[in-house]
C-alpha cells in the first residue's frame, strides 16, 4: 500500500483494535501491560512472523495471532495482529488466565 493517508488510517485502526485486545487482557488478568504502538506491515504472514522473531527473541518464543474483520460502508478489511509477550511474562499470563503451564 503506497498511499500515505491509507497507511496512517490503517495504523490508527490498528492502534484502536490492539488497545481493545490489550485492555481485555488487562481486565481478565489484572496484569498491567507496557504497550508499544503497533506497526503497519503489508507482507506475507510467514515473513512478518520471522522478522518479529528476529527482533524480539527466538523463533520458538510464543506468539499470538489475532484476526479481525472490519466492515465500513460495505467494504470489509481483514486485520491480523501479532501479540508477542516477553518470554518471562508468558507463564504469569497463562496462570492468570487459568491455563497455567
Amino acid at each position: 500500500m503506497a498511499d500515505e493517508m491509507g497507511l496512517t488510517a490503517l495504523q490508527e485502526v490498528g492502534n484502536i483494535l490492539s488497545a481493545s485486545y490489550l485492555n481485555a487482557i488487562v481486565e481478565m488478568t489484572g496484569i498491567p501491560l507496557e504497550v508499544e504502538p503497533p506497526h503497519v506491515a503489508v507482507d506475507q504472514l510467514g515473513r512478518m512472523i520471522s522478522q518479529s522473531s528476529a527482533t524480539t527473541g527466538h523463533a520458538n518464543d510464543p506468539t499470538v495471532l489475532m484476526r479481525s474483520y472490519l466492515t465500513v460502508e460495505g467494504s470489509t478489511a481483514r486485520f491480523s495482529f501479532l501479540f508477542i509477550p516477553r518470554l518471562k511474562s508468558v507463564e504469569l499470563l497463562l496462570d492468570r488466565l487459568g491455563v497455567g503451564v
Side-chain angles (χ1 to χ4, degrees):
M1 178 179 286
D3 179 6
E4 186 66 31
M5 184 180 280
L7 285 174
T8 301
L10 274 177
Q11 189 164 13
E12 186 56 31
V13 169
N15 194 27
I16 293 166
L17 291 175
S18 63
S20 294
Y21 283 129
L22 294 175
N23 284 337
I25 290 172
V26 168
E27 284 183 31
M28 291 188 300
T29 64
I31 300 172
L33 298 175
E34 294 178 26
V35 180
E36 296 179 16
H39 300 279
V40 174
V42 180
D43 203 343
Q44 293 179 340
L45 182 59
R47 187 182 336 226
M48 290 176 8
I49 291 172
S50 294
Q51 289 172 347
S52 293
S53 295
T55 59
T56 61
H58 303 292
N60 59 352
D61 283 353
T63 301
V64 178
L65 175 66
M66 297 175 279
R67 293 195 170 153
S68 290
Y69 296 88
L70 178 66
T71 302
V72 177
E73 295 182 6
S75 295
T76 300
R78 295 181 304 166
F79 298 89
S80 296
F81 296 91
L82 293 176
F83 174 58
I84 307 169
R86 290 191 177 99
L87 189 55
K88 293 180 180 180
S89 64
V90 171
E91 224 174 277
L92 175 62
L93 180 64
L94 293 175
D95 186 51
R96 294 277 180 96
L97 290 171
V99 292
V101 289

